[in-house]
Structure formats: C-alpha cells, structure tokens
Amino acid sequence: MAQPTQLDPFSEVRRDSDAGAAFVLESKGEWWHAGFHLTTAIVGPTILTLPYVFRGLGWGLGFTCLTVMGFVTFYSYYLMSKVLDHCEKAGRRHIRFRELAADVLGSGWMFYFVIFIQTAINTGVGIGAILLAGECLQIMYSDLFPNGSLKLYEFIAMVTVVMIVLSQLPTFHSLRHINLVSLLLSLGYTFLVVGACINAGFSKNAPPKDYSLESSKSARIFSGFTSISIIAAIFGNGILPEIQATLAPPATGKMVKGLLMCYSVIFVTFYSAAVSGYWAFGNESNSNILKSLMPDNGPSLAPTSVIGLAVVFVLLQLFAIGLVYSQVAFEIMEKKSADVKQGLFSKRNLIPRLILRTLYMMFCGFMAAMLPFFGDINGVVGAIGFIPLDFILPMLLYNMTHKPPKTSIIYWTNISIMAVFTGAGFMGAFSSTRKLILDANKFKLFSSDVVD
C-alpha cells in the first residue's frame, strides 16, 4: 500500500482538523444502523422499474441477470468492507471512498476520479429523488382534483422546501431512525404493488400476456444492455465507505452484518416486484409499474386506495433516499466551510451549514423542475457511475491490498468480474445514450409531464 505524504489530498494527517469527518461522518453507529443506511441507499422506488427490465431481457435472462448482479454486488461490497477492515487494522481507517482508492492505488488522480463519479451519482440521485417525489404529489393531486391547475414544477418546489428542512439534520448517523422507517416503507409499497399486480393479472381488463422480445435483433441487444445498466444502477450505491464510516470503531466485521440485513430485504422486494409486474403486464410493462396499474386509457387495474397508499409510501421514502445521497456533498462542503474546533451547533458552523445545504437542495430542485426527463439518464448513470465504483474498483482494491496469489480462484474471479463489467459498462453506456437520443424529441424544459 502506498504511503501518503503530508501533501497528499487523501492523507489522514489533517483528520484532527477535518470537520467533514468529525461532523457529517461521525462514527457512532451499530451494525444495524449501517443496515438501515445500506437498505435506503439500494432498495428504493427504482425497484418498480424491474418489470420493465424483464421486458428487455425476458424471463430467463431477467432472472439470470438479476441474480448474478445480486451475487456480484454482495461479493463486491463484502470485498470493499474487507479492504476497509484491512486498512483499519493497519492503523489507517478510511472513511471516504476517494481517500481509500487513492491511498491503495497510490495515485492522486484516482482521488479526483472517484470524487467526480461520486458527485455525479449523488447529485443525480438527489435530483431524481426530488423529481419522483414531485411526480408522486402530482399523481395524488390529479386523482383528487382532476381539473387542478398546479404544475409538476410547483410540486417539485414543495418537495424541495421539505428537503431543505430535513437536510439540516447535521450528521449521517442522525438519519438512522429515518432510514429504519425507509426500510419499512420499501417493504410496505412492495407488498402493495405485488398484490395490485396479482389482482391486475387476473382482472378481466388485464392486457394480453405477451412475453416476446423485440423483433429486431439489434433492438433486442440494445434493450438488453440498457436493462443491465438499469439493474446496475438499482443495485449500486457508490457510498459504502461513507456508510461504514458511521460505525463506531472498531468497524471490523460489522458491515457484513449490515449487508446481510440489506440483502435479505433486497431478496424479498426485488424478486417479488419483478416477477409479479412482468407476469401481469409482459412486454407492456411500463418503466414505472404504477403507471401500468393506472393506464392513461381504460380503467384502473388496481384499487385507488392501494395505489394511493403505495404512492404515499414511495413519496416518504424518497425524502430518506435524497438525504442519504446528499451526505457526500454535505461532507465535502463542511470539510471546507466548518471549523472543527468549534461545536457542531455553534453559530460559526450552523450558519454556513444552513446556507450551503439550502443552496445545494435548491440546485437539485431547480434541475429536477427544469429536466423532468431525468429518469431517462438512469441507464447512463448506471453504466458510467455505478459500474466503475461498485463492480470494478472493489475487486481491484482487494487484489492490491490482500494480494491473493495469481494462481488462486479469488484472484481470477476478481479479474473476470472486472473484465466483464468493463465491457458491460461500455455497452450499457452506448445503448443508454442511444435511448436518450431517440427520446430527445420528447424533452421539454419545465414540462409538467415526466418522459417515460
């Protein structure tokens, strides 16, 4: 492992004056708190996209890709945790992904590569969470007031105000109770949607069950890689070191328990949502299965009360997701703006925190209102963001720190995963960008309709 110098941007020498570490990433949590954070970071409303993912892959490939991605990401996060544990035992506890990558690989440019990718992912998720929450409010409003005059951007403004208030919770650890509620909400709306899909599948108004793929071979290939990129984005989080940083030291072994909790919830929610939705709607599955249950033309295929409750659960969880993915931005801002020698709630630190976090949330809210087609970028984000951070770097970091023999199975497993997902990332980025271009004529700034 490369030894940092005092001038290295990822050095721990300045940790005693690092407000981002002392305040935002304070280390007080237990393993179950890490499980709550992980579950909120991974199990979100994006699981309602899984029937659409199966639409692009079919039953066989859909099950295979979902299962493989699940095993690979669990393995990847496990290796990342082992790397962090290895560094901690050596007296160097890393609490940021960018510091860990730069230290292990001995390259300053890796520090900036990771911080760029993390910032893009986290800001993108923050924008997407506000956009989807605004859409949830619009759905409820449209149902109660069919001729109402409020537009999508007005609901986005309402959500942004709530996010500004919630963003003032000072530390990542302070979100633990919110993220427990988030975990329960994810189970709640999943069960509601699964029940609604089963009801819709047996309904006399259900669409014909057609599970055939697109007729063109090239279209099937592009759709397949787009679906793979979406699965990568759904399973990805890109902030595991920051989540592990919230654990009270020593953190060794605690993260694995948190991962087991998280993946237990993933197993229940991901498969049930994917199977029930695709079974009910086949290749008519919408990119948000709630829209399939409430088609623009024809009667609703689920009770309004069920859909309404599911939308409320989704809306509430989106606040937690937006907060979790904002923590890296808050940590970066407070590392520069706060004075660790003064109290967390001192006037010197409270005022800059209030201003900077408010401005950040206002930026995310403005972008969500201006770009209501942001969901179309999910596949691109998965390919160029989550795949490098969650499918490639952990394997590389493990091989660099633990140095398994080049003849060992684990060494070649890691190399193989890196090679496969590098190729999948390139293809996914290409196919997702292609879809973005094809949908470009539907895009309209500050539109009141979200592009599907």
Side-chain angles (χ1 to χ4, degrees), residues 71 310 355 416:
F71 275 114
I355 294 172
S416 299

Side-chain angles (χ1 to χ4, degrees), residues 309-331:
L309 188 57
V311 170
V312 170
F313 285 0
V314 168
L315 169 65
L316 293 175
Q317 198 204 18
L318 285 166
F319 291 120
I321 292 171
L323 290 174
V324 164
Y325 278 95
S326 298
Q327 296 306 304
V328 172
F330 296 164
E331 175 265 310

